[in-house]
Amino acid sequence: MMWDLKNINDNKKEILTKLKTCEDKKEKERLELTLATYICMLNNSGAIRYTKFYNFIEQVTKGKFSLMSPRNKLIIKGEKIISDSKDYLDENYLAFLLQLANNISSTQDVIEDESEIKFESLNLSNEELIKISKLFYFELGDKEIYENSKKLLDSNDTLNVSQSFINDMKLANGLNFNDYVFNKSYCTIIRENNIFDIQVLNHEIMHGIDFYMLPKIPTDNYYGFHEVPTYTIDYMLIDYLEKLGLDSKEIQKMRLKKDSYIQSLASATLFQIKHKIASKKGFSLIKDYSISDVMEIIDPIILKQLLEIESGVIAYGLSKQYKIDSNLAITNLKQFMKEIIPKDKRPDFSHLGLNDETLTELSMEFGTYSLENKKYVSKGK
């Protein structure tokens, strides 16, 4: 299961040609984002010529190759479109984001160390992975979501399995790339031959579904909430796998991994904030800080992490809605995917039944999803 690299190269060349004569600002943004997409796809295809050679030279030059590479400059240009896209952030909204992070960081850890979670071997073929994902989206019961999933799952050139990604993406299990010119989504995963492979593929497929629902350009859309649909679908998939009769202990490990990630992200983000404030003030350690202190040191990485934490809480809320009223939850999820989040005002999700008060309450109970079923798994297994 591999992308058509020749077709990717041909598309990349066509984009480069279009860029030479493009004068429209919006169209140029789509072209530059798409160019970065195709370069990243080649780099992470797993092919000897692109991924393995890149990693080898990067290792030999001790990281200097990527800095000098023309490809890297084009990727950075695509990333700069996102980082330069200024989104609304005032002290009130920042205080709310910090409150969510603090609440989650204060909840009971579902597991001491995520590395303790070891999945048992489960050798499913690529075709079986696709079949499970396709069946899940079909039984979700929404025709539009299912039809969009098939654009990826039924295509011969949209899915890819790689043995490795390039160095700066090596911690990822899966990646999604979107073409804003030819309106096409692509996914690649690294197989670990265990039950988590199912979630990784399904997660990346959901990124593609989100794209097909409404392609969102960074300069138009408040950037940072792209994991809401995928994190929501992760919760739904994990519970669905139990209905398929897969090992309950392995499924519980997935629950623990799911909750542990957001808990760890919240704690790590708060530590980063304290460290930056302390460094700025010339202290080695700091206990208390003000919202103004955080506003002074906040950078795109910390903001992205805070928004990912809120995304995790939103997804948890939608998953709880799904257990009570599946139709309402799917309706809210689709509405989220089909709307542009304005960049010039504070994001508001009350129309999804998730106002600030509700999100705050959800953040204080984070971890109960996995802790309720912790009897299914023993430490270190």
Side-chain angles (χ1 to χ4, degrees):
M1 191 162 71
M2 192 170 189
W3 291 322
D4 183 341
L5 300 184
K6 182 182 181 304
N7 184 59
I8 292 171
N9 260 315
D10 290 343
N11 286 348
K12 186 186 76 171
K13 291 175 184 176
E14 185 172 345
I15 298 299
L16 281 167
T17 301
K18 289 176 180 290
L19 268 171
K20 290 177 182 178
T21 57
C22 182
E23 296 182 359
D24 181 79
K25 187 176 180 180
K26 283 293 179 186
E27 181 61 18
K28 188 175 182 180
E29 180 180 359
R30 284 190 286 270
L31 288 167
E32 289 176 341
L33 288 169
T34 301
L35 179 60
T37 279
Y38 281 121
I39 293 171
C40 285
M41 286 176 67
L42 292 170
N43 285 352
N44 293 283
S45 64
I48 294 175
R49 177 183 175 185
Y50 298 106
T51 312
K52 295 179 180 178
F53 176 77
Y54 183 104
N55 285 341
F56 173 73
I57 298 298
E58 184 77 346
Q59 185 177 8
V60 170
T61 62
K62 297 181 179 180
K64 293 179 181 178
F65 173 70
S66 62
L67 296 176
M68 298 182 294
S69 170
R71 280 195 219 168
N72 192 60
K73 292 178 181 178
L74 290 169
I75 293 171
I76 291 173
K77 193 169 185 179
E79 292 173 345
K80 196 170 187 297
I81 293 174
I82 295 172
S83 62
D84 285 353
S85 178
K86 301 300 181 184
D87 298 323
Y88 179 86
L89 181 69
D90 64 5
E91 290 194 357
N92 287 333
Y93 185 41
L94 179 58
F96 172 70
L97 293 173
L98 290 171
Q99 184 64 59
L100 295 182
N102 275 295
N103 288 347
I104 292 173
S105 182
S106 299
T107 58
Q108 179 184 347
D109 290 338
V110 299
I111 197 165
E112 291 180 6
D113 185 351
E114 193 177 323
S115 65
E116 294 179 9
I117 302 173
K118 307 292 185 184
F119 292 105
E120 300 294 329
S121 177
L122 180 63
N123 292 314
L124 296 172
S125 67
N126 294 332
E127 290 73 24
E128 287 173 316
L129 285 181
I130 291 171
K131 183 178 179 180
I132 291 172
S133 186
K134 194 171 178 180
L135 185 62
F136 165 76
Y137 283 113
F138 174 76
E139 294 195 6
L140 204 58
D142 185 86
K143 183 178 180 181
E144 189 174 12
I145 290 177
Y146 177 59
E147 291 300 323
N148 281 321
S149 75
K150 291 201 298 179
K151 291 178 182 178
L152 292 119
L153 293 167
D154 283 352
S155 176
N156 294 324
D157 66 346
T158 55
L159 303 181
N160 184 71
V161 174
S162 174
Q163 291 183 338
S164 61
F165 297 149
I166 59 172
N167 289 336
D168 56 347
M169 296 184 180
K170 63 183 178 181
L171 296 179
N173 292 97
L175 299 168
N176 166 258
F177 301 104
N178 297 315
D179 178 335
Y180 292 86
V181 177
F182 300 108
N183 196 42
K184 194 164 184 175
S185 189
Y186 300 85
C187 303
T188 184
I189 65 171
I190 292 179
R191 295 289 308 269
E192 294 186 351
N193 295 317
N194 57 44
I195 195 171
F196 194 60
D197 289 346
I198 302 173
Q199 181 179 325
V200 173
L201 175 63
N202 205 69
H203 180 103
E204 301 307 328
I205 294 298
M206 192 60 188
H207 273 305
I209 293 170
D210 184 27
F211 173 77
Y212 285 127
M213 287 289 187
L214 180 67
K216 301 169 185 73
I217 301 296
T219 54
D220 293 337
N221 188 62
Y222 200 115
Y223 182 78
F225 293 100
H226 47 285
E227 295 292 358
V228 169
T230 54
Y231 286 176
T232 303
I233 224 69
D234 287 346
Y235 284 114
M236 296 176 183
L237 173 76
I238 292 170
D239 293 338
Y240 174 78
L241 294 181
E242 203 151 35
K243 294 178 183 177
L244 291 184
L246 294 177
D247 191 333
S248 293
K249 289 184 179 180
E250 294 300 288
I251 292 167
Q252 177 58 13
K253 292 175 190 176
M254 296 172 75
R255 291 192 182 101
L256 289 168
K257 189 176 181 71
K258 185 74 192 156
D259 281 347
S260 175
Y261 172 74
I262 295 295
Q263 286 183 328
S264 299
L265 181 64
S267 297
T269 302
L270 292 172
F271 176 80
Q272 287 173 278
I273 290 170
K274 286 184 178 180
H275 178 72
K276 286 198 72 171
I277 293 173
S279 297
K280 182 178 175 62
K281 295 193 173 190
F283 302 140
S284 59
L285 187 65
I286 189 169
K287 290 184 178 180
D288 300 316
Y289 54 84
S290 68
I291 299 301
S292 297
D293 289 332
V294 183
M295 283 292 284
E296 288 180 13
I297 59 89
I298 195 163
D299 57 34
I301 293 175
I302 290 177
L303 178 58
K304 177 179 178 293
Q305 291 172 189
L306 287 170
L307 294 174
E308 185 177 358
I309 291 165
E310 183 179 7
S311 297
V313 179
I314 294 169
Y316 175 54
L318 288 172
S319 73
K320 290 193 72 172
Q321 287 181 8
Y322 185 75
K323 292 180 178 180
I324 299 170
D325 186 338
S326 59
N327 289 330
L328 173 63
I330 294 298
T331 296
N332 285 338
L333 176 59
K334 287 176 65 177
Q335 183 172 352
F336 177 89
M337 290 190 284
K338 290 182 176 184
E339 65 186 11
I340 294 293
I341 302 174
K343 298 173 69 65
D344 58 350
K345 60 182 180 181
R346 176 176 174 170
D348 178 19
F349 304 103
S350 57
H351 61 296
L352 306 178
L354 297 167
N355 59 24
D356 288 356
E357 182 180 354
T358 301
L359 291 176
T360 301
E361 291 172 357
L362 289 167
S363 70
M364 291 188 287
E365 64 177 64
F366 213 86
T368 56
Y369 170 69
S370 56
L371 289 174
E372 285 172 353
N373 296 286
K374 199 167 185 178
K375 61 183 179 181
Y376 286 128
V377 66
S378 58
K379 186 176 179 181
K381 298 279 186 147

